[in-house]
């Protein structure tokens, strides 16, 4: 985090103006979007999480840091585009029911879109029925679910079950991710794939659909 110390500190403090300026200057001096994201912004959010867990900060401060990170991420978006490409496949994505965390899900959407996937983003707090209804409407290749709370993870198998009940489970691939989610959990709930971060979500999606 040292290289991006001021950036990370401003995200932790929720100082949008400084964080945006630091992101821009890191890009201007040749920093890669991936480094700025991983070593600056995500590292800062991990620290925010630690401070929250220790009772040093509270929900309003977490929200402010989240808003700051989102503003910085906007500057990085163009750097995650892989070039002029035809659609690699349709992805329906959302954060599961009861869960309002969307930064990781938005990064996955952004990187998948940049890699040429067509994204339909249902947002946050997406109930299994909503995933099913939209999947029936747009016929995606992949249904992608994000969860950041251990308490909302059960909505993932519930969604898999709902897809099954609607008769479309074998027509889509299911990918899951989010901080508390593991590969083991993906296997347990019979998802087709798990990714630990947004970059590997792109690789896993390509693998699932057999595209490069
Ligand atoms: Co919340 N929160 N939060 N929070 N929050 C966590 C997740 C927590 C770990 C903090 C902590 O205690 N240390 C903890 C969860 C504990 C647990 O269940 N394991 C927690 C809690 C407890 C809560 C509340 C319950 C607090 C309360 O109200 N008492 C509450 C719940 C609200 C709700 O959802 N119903 C709550 C609320 C919030 C805010 C709204 C204030 C805010 C979210 C704002 C927003 O997202 N718009 C917030 C934040 C900011 C966090 C932390 C600090 C940061 C999350 C984040 O954005 N990280 C978080 C601590 C932490 O994660 N270290 C915490 C950066 C982001 C890039 O990482 O989302 O992990 P992440 O995404 C990664 C990978 O996981 C992966 O790719 C991304 C990286 O490339 N990934 C996927 C994500 N989705 C994927 C999907 C894929 C593949 C990969 O395929 C489909």
């Amino acid at each position: 985090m040292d290289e991006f110390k001021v950036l990370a500190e401003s995200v932790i403090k929720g100082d949008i103006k400084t964080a945006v300026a630091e992101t821009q200057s890191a890009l201007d001096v040749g920093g890669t979007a991936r480094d700025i994201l991983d070593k600056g912004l995500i590292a800062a959010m991990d620290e925010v999480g630690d401070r929250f867990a220790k009772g040093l900060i509270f929900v309003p401060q977490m929200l402010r840091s989240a808003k700051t990170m989102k503003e910085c991420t906007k500057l990085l978006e163009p750097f995650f585009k892989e070039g002029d490409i035809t659609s690699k496949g349709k992805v329906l994505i959302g954060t599961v029911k009861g869960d309002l965390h969307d930064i990781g899900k938005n990064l996955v959407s952004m990187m998948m879109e940049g890699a040429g996937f067509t994204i339909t983003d249902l947002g946050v707090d997406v109930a299994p029925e909503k995933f099913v209804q939209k999947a029936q409407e747009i016929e995606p290749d992949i249904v992608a679910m994000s969860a950041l709370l251990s308490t909302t993870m059960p909505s993932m198998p519930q969604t898999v079950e709902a897809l099954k009940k609607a008769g479309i489970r074998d027509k889509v691939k299911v990918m899951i991710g989010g901080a508390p989610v593991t590969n083991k959990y993906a296997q347990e709930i019979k998802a087709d794939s798990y990714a630990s971060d947004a970059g590997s979500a792109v690789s896993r999606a390509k693998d699932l659909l057999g595209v490069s």
Side-chain angles (χ1 to χ4, degrees):
M1 195 151 100
D2 265 8
E3 196 184 346
F4 301 104
K5 199 166 182 268
V6 180
L7 170 60
E9 274 170 3
S10 51
V11 173
I12 293 165
K13 275 193 231 143
D15 175 354
I16 297 180
K17 207 169 153 210
T18 307
V20 167
E22 281 295 315
T23 303
Q24 188 57 58
S25 71
L27 286 169
D28 291 344
V29 298
T32 67
R34 179 54 68 94
D35 273 356
I36 296 168
L37 184 64
D38 289 345
K39 299 179 188 167
L41 304 176
I42 293 181
M45 292 309 276
D46 283 344
E47 176 62 26
V48 170
D50 284 350
R51 291 186 189 188
F52 175 77
K54 288 179 186 145
L56 299 172
I57 60 163
F58 301 96
V59 170
Q61 286 101 318
M62 273 209 289
L63 261 179
R64 184 84 189 158
S65 294
K67 192 160 190 276
T68 308
M69 168 147 184
K70 281 186 183 182
E71 291 304 317
C72 298
T73 308
K74 283 183 194 162
L75 296 182
L76 305 181
E77 193 165 355
F79 297 91
F80 290 115
K81 301 228 181 294
E82 280 184 14
D84 236 2
I85 23 191
T86 49
S87 180
K88 289 199 162 71
K90 276 190 262 177
V91 179
L92 176 63
I93 192 166
T95 300
V96 298
K97 188 176 177 182
D99 202 321
L100 303 176
H101 296 85
D102 67 353
I103 296 179
K105 184 264 297 164
N106 292 345
L107 282 176
V108 172
S109 296
M110 186 177 96
M111 290 203 192
M112 282 193 170
E113 195 165 37
F117 291 91
T118 306
I119 306 293
T120 302
D121 189 341
L122 290 171
V124 296
D125 190 17
V126 183
E129 314 81 67
K130 205 164 162 196
F131 273 112
V132 169
Q133 188 198 1
K134 202 65 184 179
Q136 286 169 324
E137 183 190 325
I138 67 163
E139 299 182 349
D141 301 290
I142 298 175
V143 171
M145 290 180 266
S146 176
L148 262 288
L149 299 172
S150 31
T151 49
T152 57
M153 284 167 62
S155 192
M156 291 176 156
Q158 286 160 13
T159 303
V160 172
E161 194 52 38
L163 290 167
K164 210 187 275 175
K165 274 203 182 121
I168 52 174
R169 175 64 187 93
D170 55 350
K171 296 194 176 80
V172 296
K173 301 289 184 193
V174 172
M175 178 191 282
I176 63 171
V181 179
T182 60
N183 196 30
K184 187 169 171 272
Y185 187 68
Q187 286 168 359
E188 273 166 31
I189 70 163
K190 298 192 168 46
D192 299 295
S193 192
Y194 156 78
S196 59
D197 58 66
S200 51
V202 171
S203 311
R204 295 295 87 75
K206 287 178 179 174
D207 293 346
L208 280 175
L209 303 187
V211 295
S212 51

